[in-house]
Structures are given as C-alpha cells and as structure tokens.
Amino acid sequence: MSATASLVSLVVGGALAFSLVAPPGPMNALIADETAARGWFAGFRSGLGAFASDTVFCALALSGAVTVAGSPTVRSVAAMVGGVFMFYLAYDALRDARARTPTESRGFTKALVLGLTNPYQIGWWLTAGVALVQPSPVEVAGETVVVGGVTVLVGFFAGILVWITAFPALLVRAGDRLEGFEKGVSYVSAAVLSVFGVAFVYYAVL
C-alpha cells in the first residue's frame, strides 16, 4: 500500500470512529456521569467498555456474522434489554448526583453491556461498519487508492481512543472551573439516559 493510500485509510478510519462515538447519546452520557462522579480514569475506563463492545462487533463484521445481529428479532430484544438497562443507568446517575462520596466504579461493565445492546451501535455496524472492514476504491487527488483492511481499522480504533481520552479530560477541566458542574453533569446524564431508555423500549415494542 502506498503512503497516500495508508494516510487516506487512517483518516477514513478516524472519521468513521468519530461518526460513531462523537454524537450525543447514552454512551457519552454514561462516560460523562462516570467522569463527573469519579474522575478522569473512571470515565476513560467506561470508554474502554465501549471500545470493547466495538471490538466484538468488529470481529462479527469481519466474520460476516454481524448480519445476525441485524435481524428484526435480535434488534428488538436488544432494544428492550438496552432500554431497561438505561433506566438502571439513569437511576445510577441520579444516585451519583446525590451521593456525598462516590461509590465503586463499574463503568467498564456498564459501558460494555450498553454497547452490545444499543440498537444505534448495531445499526452503525450493519452500515458504516461494513465499509470499515471491506476495502473499497477512493479517488484522492486524481489517484485511485484502495482503502480498507488493517490500516482503516487502526485509524478507527485510534480515533475511539482519542475520544475516550479527550472527552473525560475536557469534562474534568470544566469541572475544575465551574462549581457544581459534576452534579449537573450527572443530572443531565440521568435525563439523557432516561429519554433514550424510553425511545429504545418504544422501538422494541413497535
């Protein structure tokens, strides 16, 4: 692979990563709550749970088995489990907001379960995730290069690591400057998780 193709593959992988992890949603709400309640490392560890769930989906995509997760029955069951689980996470976030001392972090496990039952994440891997693992031609500066494979995957997972490192760090920095910021983040996270919980349960029963 030429240097141009390698660079394009890394950029494409990073862009795909941010299309998955950057939009506001339940996973970022969970990471935000863990960071606000327990500090940067707890938020980063939650991000590693999300990283692990994407690793599972990536392995399924590479094997071609990810289409099983896209069946209507599987997605409905996942949505119901994920929606109910989000109500628990919302309760947990409220408890964090009201606690005088933080409880032990279980962010990695919570993020892993959330990632594996998130219909949005499953849908992403059925669409953009397929492009992630399948080489395809891209026109760059008048030259056709084939991007895909290992280099795109490196860019993708590097992009996730950048996000789960920087996002908690930005929250910690904001918390250092704004009094009461941590409690506010936990309350907002609880609200976001509750809204997505309702949406996922509604999706499951349709």
Side-chain angles (χ1 to χ4, degrees), residues 33-51:
D33 174 57
E34 286 289 320
T35 303
R38 300 172 184 86
W40 176 86
F41 184 69
F44 175 73
R45 185 163 50 191
S46 299
L48 289 179
F51 185 97

Side-chain angles (χ1 to χ4, degrees), residues 99-122:
R100 293 187 178 182
T101 56
T103 57
E104 181 182 356
S105 173
R106 302 185 306 279
F108 178 90
T109 302
K110 291 189 289 187
L112 176 60
V113 174
L114 178 60
L116 294 176
T117 58
N118 186 339
Y120 167 74
Q121 204 156 337
I122 294 172

Side-chain angles (χ1 to χ4, degrees), residues 4 9 25 36 41 46 52-53 57 63 66 71-72 74 76 81 83 98 115 149 152 159:
T4 300
S9 295
F41 184 69
S46 299
S53 68
F57 282 125
S63 68
V66 73
S71 70
V74 172
S76 293
V81 173
R98 295 169 180 172
V152 169

Side-chain angles (χ1 to χ4, degrees), residues 85-158:
F85 186 61
M86 281 184 213
F87 291 134
Y88 163 73
L89 295 179
Y91 165 76
D92 220 29
L94 285 175
R95 189 171 59 178
D96 286 338
R98 295 169 180 172
R100 293 187 178 182
T101 56
T103 57
E104 181 182 356
S105 173
R106 302 185 306 279
F108 178 90
T109 302
K110 291 189 289 187
L112 176 60
V113 174
L114 178 60
L116 294 176
T117 58
N118 186 339
Y120 167 74
Q121 204 156 337
I122 294 172
W124 188 94
W125 277 100
L126 288 169
T127 53
V130 172
L132 178 68
V133 299
Q134 292 183 353
S136 56
V138 176
E139 192 76 20
V140 179
E143 179 184 357
T144 300
V145 297
V146 178
V147 299
V150 175
T151 310
V152 169
L153 289 175
V154 169
F156 175 78
F157 285 106

